[in-house]
């Protein structure tokens, strides 16, 4: 199958299966982690790579909500869910590497399970920094490369499978990249993605400004 056709088909299948595939993980603790992280969202909020809208229910009392998502099949699901759960939210098709907003537009940018799969992590983080106002915060929840060398090597070996099934890398040193792009991490919890395969478990949850 030519690459583009494969990607389009894979994208549709991934979007169609995402909520059912994630259900056990959500029930086993991911939903609670999302909720606790998103109580910190404030002011004008942008969520990147919003997928099917798993975070929608967790925003309370924010001034405005903008969601971006580059994949058409995900976007359709996000739009449908937002019509029901967050009708005032604005939804745009855009990749994190190229955010269609002015500098200093948001108080909070949210990234949950996105930086593992963007094409260019450094460019995405620079874009996030650009659109955040001075004093604004990035809230992140990301599965990452393990600090344990043996586990990190295991993640390297298993990454092909992770890419095949969930279309992202399980071995990215995302925390290092967040710091290398000029953010200061102000809160950090190292935990696990519940019910995930071992190679996709190491998880970081926190905020950076
Ligand atoms: C694992 S899903 C996570 C969805 C959602 N953020 C969540 O927490 O459930 C990864 C999402 O990132 C999106 N994505 C892929 N490449 C991206 C990019 N370059 N910029 C922004 N989002 C991207 C995918 O389309 C998908 O919706």
């Amino acid at each position: 199958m030519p690459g583009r056709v494969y990607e389009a088909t894979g994208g549709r299948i991934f979007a169609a299966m995402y909520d059912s595939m994630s259900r056990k993980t959500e029930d086993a603790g991911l939903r609670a982690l999302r909720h606790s992280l998103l109580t910190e969202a404030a002011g004008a909020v942008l969520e990147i790579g919003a997928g099917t809208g798993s975070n929608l229910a967790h925003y309370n009392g924010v001034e405005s909500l903008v969601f971006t998502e580059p994949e058409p099949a995900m976007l359709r699901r996000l739009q449908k869910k937002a019509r029901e759960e967050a009708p005032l939210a604005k939804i745009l098709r855009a990749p994190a590497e190229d955010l269609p907003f002015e500098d200093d537009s948001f108080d909070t940018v949210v990234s949950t399970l996105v930086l593992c799969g963007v094409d260019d992590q450094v460019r995405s983080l620079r874009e996030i920094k650009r659109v955040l106002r001075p004093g604004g915060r990035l809230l992140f929840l990301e599965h990452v490369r393990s600090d344990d060398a043996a586990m990190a090597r295991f993640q390297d070996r298993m990454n092909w499978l992770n890419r095949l099934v969930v279309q992202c890398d399980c071995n990215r040193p995302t925390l290092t990249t967040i710091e290398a792009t000029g953010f200061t991490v102000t809160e950090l919890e190292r935990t696990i993605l519940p019910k995930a395969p071992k190679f996709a478990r190491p998880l970081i949850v926190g905020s950076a400004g």
Side-chain angles (χ1 to χ4, degrees):
M1 203 185 288
R4 261 198 224 143
V5 178
Y6 174 79
E7 275 169 31
T9 313
R12 275 206 304 276
I13 295 171
F14 184 54
M17 294 182 64
Y18 187 72
D19 288 345
S20 51
M21 234 166 50
S22 325
R23 190 154 299 127
K24 279 192 180 148
T25 294
E26 296 282 355
D27 292 349
L30 178 57
R31 192 177 301 110
L33 288 171
R34 290 182 189 280
H35 188 77
S36 134
L37 179 71
L38 295 175
T39 54
E40 297 191 33
V45 177
L46 165 67
E47 180 176 334
I48 58 159
T52 57
S54 303
N55 289 331
L56 273 170
H58 302 290
Y59 291 106
N60 277 309
V62 300
E63 190 182 297
S64 61
L65 267 175
V66 179
F67 295 96
T68 56
E69 166 57 49
E71 291 293 328
M74 285 290 193
L75 196 66
R76 283 192 292 276
R77 286 177 161 72
L78 178 63
Q79 285 165 329
K80 183 169 183 289
K81 198 165 192 181
R83 273 198 294 275
E84 290 151 17
E85 293 183 25
L88 296 181
K90 196 188 266 185
I91 300 175
L92 287 96
R93 183 178 179 197
E97 290 87 345
D98 196 7
L99 295 172
F101 308 108
E102 305 274 308
D103 296 358
D104 305 338
S105 296
F106 298 98
D107 301 293
T108 307
V109 175
V110 173
S111 173
T112 62
L113 306 174
V114 177
L115 294 171
C116 50
V118 294
D119 294 330
D120 186 333
Q121 220 182 42
V122 168
R123 190 167 154 187
S124 301
L125 282 158
R126 287 196 181 131
E127 274 293 86
I128 292 170
K129 199 154 194 32
R130 181 184 67 75
V131 302
L132 270 174
R133 291 181 184 139
R137 290 203 303 167
L138 164 65
L139 302 181
F140 58 84
L141 180 158
E142 298 286 347
H143 70 91
V144 294
R145 187 175 191 82
S146 174
D147 288 334
D148 176 83
M151 176 53 79
R153 283 195 299 276
F154 179 56
Q155 291 179 302
D156 292 340
R157 287 199 300 279
M158 299 309 289
N159 198 40
W160 68 271
L161 180 59
N162 199 76
R163 287 205 68 82
L164 186 72
V165 179
V166 285
Q167 304 190 337
C168 69
D169 291 324
C170 63
N171 58 353
R172 291 191 184 183
T174 302
L175 188 62
T176 306
T177 316
I178 289 174
E179 289 170 330
T181 43
F183 284 97
T184 302
V185 174
T186 47
E187 282 172 68
L188 178 65
E189 180 186 357
R190 290 175 195 273
T191 179
I192 59 152
L193 192 58
K195 303 278 182 198
K198 262 191 190 153
F199 50 82
R201 268 185 215 160
L203 189 77
I204 55 169
V205 186
S207 68

